[in-house]
Amino acid sequence: MKLSSANINVMVKACRKAAKILIRDFGEIENLQVSLKGPGDFVTMSDKKVEKILIDELLKARPNYSVLSEEIGKIDNDEAYKWIIDPIDGTANFLHGIPHFAISIGLEKDGEIICGIIYDPIKDEMFTAEKGNGSYLNNQRIRVSSRSQLKDCMIITGGPKNNSNESELSLKEYINFSSKVLIPIRKLGSASLDMAYVAAGRCDGFWQRNLNYWDIAAGIILIKESGGFVTDFNGKKEYIQNKTILATNAKINNEMIKVLDS
Ligand code: 2AM
Ligand code: CA
């Protein structure tokens, strides 16, 4: 059992409150699939409702902190601290009634992520991490896997979106990785959960292009605090500017960079 900081407690509380709405709305999706209009507008509403609860709760506890969130964008307050929020990560899964999506919240201080939580409300899996204090799944310590040979690894990715001008590159990377691993590459549809799964040792490596900061903010600290590496495709720390992210168990980092470079 770990001791959580006040900030993690604030994040968990906000997340659990918002998750109640998310679970209730997910239960409605099945009915809407068969309706003529489909669940599109309903999901957009859901996304906004969840975001509002999260921001209201987080700012109630920390009124001076700034916010960056997928739907509303930026709220500028305190210079040092910023909540980075993705209310539903894995929106397409949610819309199709597939129970694999998450709420993701990161806390940045002076440009560095210091806390993160990723919550899968359907499986009731709460991933939390804090700088210097390790990564946890439902209060149990988690660590990255120890596999050191890429061929034995479970590798995951996401994208490309059909309007991406880097589709060809992404598909080439997919082909290259596919020829190196025995288990076919997984695409689970939620970047934050992909990173949480690497942190928990369920998967060994994750790469993706064109993600936004809110997709990866919480995942970054989870990976670091579970003993993994997070870099861009060049092995540098410019994953936000370069919009390429590689998260691994550390052991296969160099091998994955070589494949991305080939
Ligand atoms: P979302 O559900 O919040 O939109 C699917 O591959 C994952 O990538 C999801 O986490 C999805 O987040 C995210 N994603 C967001 N923007 C993307 C983009 N431009 N290209 C690929 N994936 C994107
Ligand atoms: Ca997202």
Side-chain angles (χ1 to χ4, degrees), residues 42-240:
F42 178 80
V43 170
T44 308
M45 292 288 291
S46 226
D47 223 343
K48 292 193 168 136
K49 265 188 294 183
V50 171
E51 181 178 66
K52 184 169 181 335
I53 297 168
L54 291 172
I55 293 175
D56 286 353
E57 286 293 308
L58 293 169
L59 291 186
K60 197 162 78 189
R62 300 285 185 270
N64 297 329
Y65 289 15
S66 296
V67 174
L68 172 68
S69 185
E70 177 159 24
E71 303 297 323
I72 63 140
K74 287 202 294 190
I75 301 173
D76 285 322
N77 289 322
D78 192 293
E79 293 276 313
Y81 288 92
K82 194 189 285 174
W83 301 115
I84 319 277
I85 303 166
D86 193 347
I88 310 178
D89 182 51
T91 322
N93 283 348
F94 182 82
L95 184 115
H96 284 260
I98 297 171
H100 188 79
F101 51 87
I103 295 171
S104 173
I105 310 170
L107 176 61
E108 192 193 83
K109 185 187 177 201
D110 295 322
E112 184 192 6
I113 300 289
I114 55 162
C115 292
I117 76 170
I118 296 170
Y119 182 53
D120 175 339
I122 304 300
K123 302 177 199 78
D124 191 22
E125 290 192 325
M126 177 76 74
F127 297 89
T128 59
E130 190 169 7
K131 192 179 172 190
N133 201 19
S135 291
Y136 296 81
L137 164 53
N138 292 346
N139 289 326
Q140 299 286 325
R141 188 83 191 250
I142 51 171
R143 287 182 203 285
V144 291
S145 69
S146 55
R147 287 183 197 91
S148 55
Q149 304 285 316
L150 183 57
K151 73 171 177 22
D152 302 322
C153 286
M154 168 83 83
I155 302 299
I156 41 180
T157 189
K161 284 214 166 155
N162 68 0
N163 58 0
S164 162
N165 50 17
E166 293 184 328
S167 285
E168 277 187 28
L169 274 174
S170 298
L171 295 172
K172 184 171 154 258
E173 286 151 10
Y174 194 93
I175 291 167
N176 289 346
F177 276 117
S178 292
S179 70
K180 303 275 184 212
V181 290
L182 295 170
I183 306 165
I185 309 288
R186 289 325 193 232
K187 283 173 99 250
L188 306 180
S190 160
S192 63
L193 285 176
D194 289 347
M195 292 179 80
Y197 282 18
V198 173
R202 291 175 177 173
C203 300
D204 309 291
F206 163 71
W207 93 94
Q208 189 165 339
R209 288 178 179 273
N210 291 322
L211 288 170
N212 294 297
Y213 193 20
W214 48 77
D215 300 311
I216 57 172
I220 290 169
I221 185 89
L222 264 153
I223 296 279
K224 285 186 185 168
E225 288 294 323
S226 60
F229 280 179
V230 195
T231 68
D232 61 16
F233 288 0
N234 302 315
K236 306 249 163 56
K237 296 285 169 207
E238 274 112 51
Y239 30 76
I240 293 148

